[in-house]
Amino acid sequence: MQLTPLHVKENTSIQYMSHELLFLAQSGQPYRGTLYVNFTSIGETFDLPDFKKYLTSLRDKKFTAEDIAFEIHETINKSIQTKDLGVIVDLTARGGLQQRLRYGAEFVPVKKENIFQVR
């Protein structure tokens, strides 16, 4: 899915968060998690309703847990131009194991409840 680019001021540091990440494991069992996306704008961000539709579209797609951060990173990277794009996915524990998956630039996620945040 292509995300619709929106123009914003260049060099704006942007971080998005969603507790609504849901996708299917190869077995068909659901994975649930929290998504963090961080980047510096090169004059673009993406339309949030499009991003929500994209996240919702993942609910019926199968991925290995280790590939989901890469998939989201690549979708954003193909849709808009950014600097220092990083994606973190914290998956709900399954079988007693908690997973944090990271792809791209490293960052410390800002944890707030139910908010997409521009800082």
Side-chain angles (χ1 to χ4, degrees), residues 35-53:
L35 169 67
Y36 303 93
V37 176
N38 188 79
F39 61 91
T40 301
S41 170
I42 304 180
E44 293 182 326
T45 188
F46 44 79
D47 182 60
L48 290 181
D50 275 4
F51 191 56
K52 175 69 175 179
K53 287 177 191 171

Side-chain angles (χ1 to χ4, degrees), residues 91-109:
L91 293 177
T92 303
R94 289 178 57 112
L97 297 174
Q98 180 72 35
Q99 287 181 288
R100 171 167 276 186
L101 306 152
R102 180 188 313 260
Y103 193 86
E106 291 197 22
F107 66 97
V108 176

Side-chain angles (χ1 to χ4, degrees), residues 12-25:
T12 301
S13 178
I14 300 172
Q15 191 169 112
Y16 297 110
M17 174 188 148
S18 175
H19 291 296
E20 298 180 14
L21 182 63
L22 179 65
F23 64 97
L24 298 176

Side-chain angles (χ1 to χ4, degrees), residues 37-72:
V37 176
N38 188 79
F39 61 91
T40 301
S41 170
I42 304 180
E44 293 182 326
T45 188
F46 44 79
D47 182 60
L48 290 181
D50 275 4
F51 191 56
K52 175 69 175 179
K53 287 177 191 171
Y54 168 66
L55 292 180
T56 301
S57 78
L58 297 176
R59 293 178 179 185
D60 62 354
K61 294 184 180 169
K62 291 184 179 181
F63 297 98
T64 61
E66 293 76 14
D67 287 339
I68 193 65
F70 171 78
E71 164 67 25
I72 294 167

